[in-house]
Amino acid sequence: MPKFSVLNRDKLSSFVEIQEGQSLMECLRNAGYDELIAICGGNCSCATCHVYLRDIDLETLPKKSEDEEALLEGLQYFSNDSRLSCQIQVNHLLDGATVVIPPEE
Amino acid sequence: MTFLKNCWYIVAWSDEIVGDTILARRICDIPLAVFKTADGPKALYDSCPHRFAPLSMGKVENDSIVCGYHGLGFNGNGACTTNPHGPITKSMCVKSYPAVERHKAVWVWLGDAEKANPDLIPPLDFQDTQYEHSIGFGYLHGKADYKLYVDNIMDLSHADFLHVNTLGGSFVGTKQEVKEDDATITARWSQKNMSPNALHISVGTFTADAKVDRFTEVTFYVPCTMTLISAFGALDAPESEYLRTIGSHVMVPETATTVHYFFSTTRNFRQEDAEFNKIYLSKRDQVFAKEDKPMIEAVEERMGGVDLFAKKPLLLKSDEAAIRARRKIDDFIKREQQLS
């Protein structure tokens, strides 16, 4: 079964199985990662579903929109591997990836 | 709309029910008749089981309500105590709800009576102050979903725009710290080295060209009670020395689209100054009635009774505390429904 791992704020790692048809934000919240607050529910307007994507070739993912880029750049913990998880669809591309939940803003 | 039932709701400020008053007030779509007895406040379903006249149109006699239509009487437990037309049987009763008087308010419990533990009443103990001129209670009837009224307190960034000449000027751009535990959410905005706002200046300790440190803190108790601390002091002074107001904002649902807004304000300065209290409270009442209420009611009108999340709002980071409060309300209601 394809899966990715999640490193939460307490630095605990666990695996999440890949089930297509939802965004990474929805997938993480459904898996119980409430620390990902995701206020706006996927409208790309609040930047509270910020994650770092590691162990994956970021070039293979759909590019950031201007809106996503603008929201990310306003974050204190912005990094090169930052993405808004509501803008990433869960699929096989995430197999083996590590999703890191950044520190609280 | 589904309301949370296993919780305490304020039905009235204590001073609304004096002597033989019977208060008629609808909460969560349930009409209540509330009155006081030697054994404390009592709340009955406000409809006589005989021909459904509102019991609140009757009168209090010997700790019972006597119906104004045909004279049947019911005590605080809902049992029939007088029947001018014949014998009293056990089936002659009206539903009663647990009621408690605490912190100068009368609270009712609409759910499972066995779970009605008064220890679950939110801690509004600041309302027990002995300084009569340092406190003021208020009430507004609002024509909107109670959750829109909750949102209004949980996201105080609106103060910079809606209350620009009184309370505003310092929320936007200030980091909102949000903390959450099982039953509460706390949001705090802290600012250092700020110009005092109009309200601060009116207190008289700081002039318009002074600088102050300040914080505002809101704590939310599921589903609709909030406390709000607004505190300010000299630069770098310890918070224990701040001048502060502490108040309650309690948004009790009447129906899906109307709300009873109970509010109070207490303070730790000029506590015996009756004149200051009068001016201060009248400013507060003005802000709530002339600024908050019209805006929230206009929002309700534009939303057309559709739930906020179903409307797919453009939510921002500043909505965090309000959205977490709404999610918590939804969680509690869901859990209550699963249990029943």
Side-chain angles (χ1 to χ4, degrees):
Chain A
M1 188 65 94
K3 54 184 186 278
F4 58 87
S5 70
V6 183
L7 192 62
N8 73 5
R9 284 212 180 108
D10 297 330
K11 309 282 180 226
L12 295 173
S13 176
S14 52
F15 286 105
V16 174
E17 280 181 12
I18 288 177
Q19 288 180 330
E20 300 199 9
Q22 54 186 346
S23 71
L24 179 58
M25 177 276 281
E26 291 165 321
C27 177
L28 290 167
R29 284 196 58 86
N30 290 339
Y33 292 97
D34 292 342
E35 60 210 279
L36 200 81
I37 309 162
I39 292 301
C40 80
N43 287 339
C44 198
S45 62
C46 72
T48 58
C49 67
H50 176 209
V51 296
Y52 302 137
L53 290 182
R54 295 186 181 151
D55 306 318
I56 182 173
D57 180 2
L58 292 170
E59 297 298 319
T60 63
L61 295 173
K63 286 208 182 328
K64 292 173 223 169
S65 66
E66 275 180 39
D67 287 346
E68 184 182 348
E69 223 157 298
L71 285 164
L72 285 170
E73 282 167 9
L75 293 173
Q76 185 182 351
Y77 294 104
F78 174 65
S79 143
N80 289 336
D81 49 9
S82 288
R83 291 297 304 254
L84 295 183
S85 57
C86 72
Q87 300 300 302
I88 309 276
Q89 285 302 307
V90 173
N91 59 34
H92 66 279
L93 293 173
L94 291 176
D95 192 14
T98 301
V99 178
V100 180
I101 301 182
E104 204 172 349
E105 286 289 313
Chain B
M1 181 182 287
T2 310
F3 300 107
L4 192 69
K5 292 292 173 63
N6 285 319
C7 64
W8 291 102
Y9 286 108
I10 290 187
V11 65
W13 290 129
S14 289
D15 62 10
E16 290 184 88
I17 308 171
V18 288
D20 288 340
T21 310
I22 308 175
L23 177 83
R25 194 157 277 164
R26 184 179 290 266
I27 293 187
C28 300
D29 270 331
I30 299 173
L32 299 172
V34 190
F35 65 113
K36 283 184 183 165
T37 68
D39 185 35
K42 302 290 175 187
L44 299 179
Y45 187 75
D46 189 14
S47 182
C48 180
H50 170 222
R51 297 296 292 267
F52 311 113
L55 290 171
S56 54
M57 292 172 77
K59 57 184 176 188
V60 176
E61 277 176 15
N62 301 321
D63 283 354
S64 284
I65 295 183
V66 176
C67 181
Y69 203 6
H70 302 99
L72 268 69
F74 299 91
N75 69 16
N77 299 323
C80 185
T81 48
T82 43
N83 174 11
H85 312 283
I88 294 170
T89 65
K90 282 206 175 64
S91 68
M92 297 167 73
C93 62
V94 61
K95 185 162 175 51
S96 72
Y97 300 88
V100 172
E101 187 164 11
R102 187 173 288 187
H103 307 320
K104 310 226 170 106
V106 177
W107 305 74
V108 292
W109 180 279
L110 302 176
D112 182 353
E114 285 185 6
K115 293 180 177 156
N117 177 358
D119 292 346
L120 299 173
I121 290 175
L124 306 186
D125 42 299
F126 51 85
Q127 293 180 175
D128 299 324
T129 176
Q130 298 307 307
Y131 295 99
E132 61 168 315
H133 298 303
S134 75
I135 186 162
F137 294 94
Y139 169 87
L140 273 180
H141 183 263
K143 291 189 180 65
D145 177 351
Y146 76 100
K147 285 183 274 191
L148 290 177
Y149 271 84
V150 172
D151 289 342
N152 191 56
I153 302 298
M154 295 307 286
D155 177 12
L156 293 174
S157 70
H158 79 271
D160 287 2
F161 307 94
L162 193 58
H163 312 307
V164 63
N165 296 319
T166 47
L167 309 169
S170 59
F171 288 98
V172 171
T174 300
K175 199 179 147 191
Q176 181 195 43
E177 294 167 79
V178 184
K179 285 189 192 136
E180 184 168 346
D181 64 24
D182 285 346
T184 69
I185 293 168
T186 300
R188 185 183 165 111
W189 296 259
S190 313
Q191 301 111 351
K192 296 272 182 200
N193 201 17
M194 297 291 297
S195 296
N197 68 19
L199 205 64
H200 297 149
I201 296 162
S202 75
V203 169
T205 311
F206 297 99
T207 53
D209 56 355
K211 293 286 180 188
V212 296
D213 290 345
R214 61 179 293 199
F215 74 85
T216 306
E217 188 176 287
V218 176
T219 302
F220 167 77
Y221 300 84
V222 182
C224 62
T225 300
M226 287 158 287
T227 59
L228 194 161
I229 303 173
S230 178
F232 58 103
L235 295 186
D236 299 322
E239 285 185 2
S240 57
E241 289 175 12
Y242 282 16
L243 304 177
R244 61 180 70 204
T245 63
I246 307 180
S248 63
H249 296 262
V250 188
M251 315 302 187
V252 177
E254 178 183 48
T255 67
T257 54
T258 55
V259 61
H260 304 291
Y261 180 6
F262 297 95
F263 49 92
S264 75
T265 318
T266 65
R267 59 179 193 278
N268 73 345
F269 53 89
R270 296 177 76 163
Q271 287 178 307
E272 294 179 67
D273 189 337
E275 188 55 26
F276 180 81
N277 201 43
K278 215 168 110 187
I279 296 165
Y280 186 79
L281 296 177
S282 101
K283 273 187 196 154
R284 174 198 67 179
D285 294 352
Q286 186 83 3
V287 167
F288 292 0
K290 304 282 188 215
E291 295 176 355
D292 290 301
K293 181 178 150 77
M295 181 59 87
I296 298 168
E297 292 184 353
V299 167
E300 169 74 36
E301 195 275 325
R302 282 289 188 273
M303 289 178 69
V306 179
D307 176 71
L308 179 77
F309 293 123
K311 296 274 296 177
K312 298 210 177 302
L314 172 68
L315 293 168
L316 310 172
K317 177 83 170 103
S318 54
D319 292 294
E320 177 176 351
I323 294 308
R324 285 167 82 156
R326 279 178 174 263
R327 286 179 181 166
K328 222 171 185 48
I329 296 170
D330 290 345
D331 279 353
F332 270 59
I333 291 173
K334 212 185 209 169
R335 256 189 277 165
E336 187 167 288
Q337 287 180 321
Q338 282 164 354
L339 284 174
S340 63

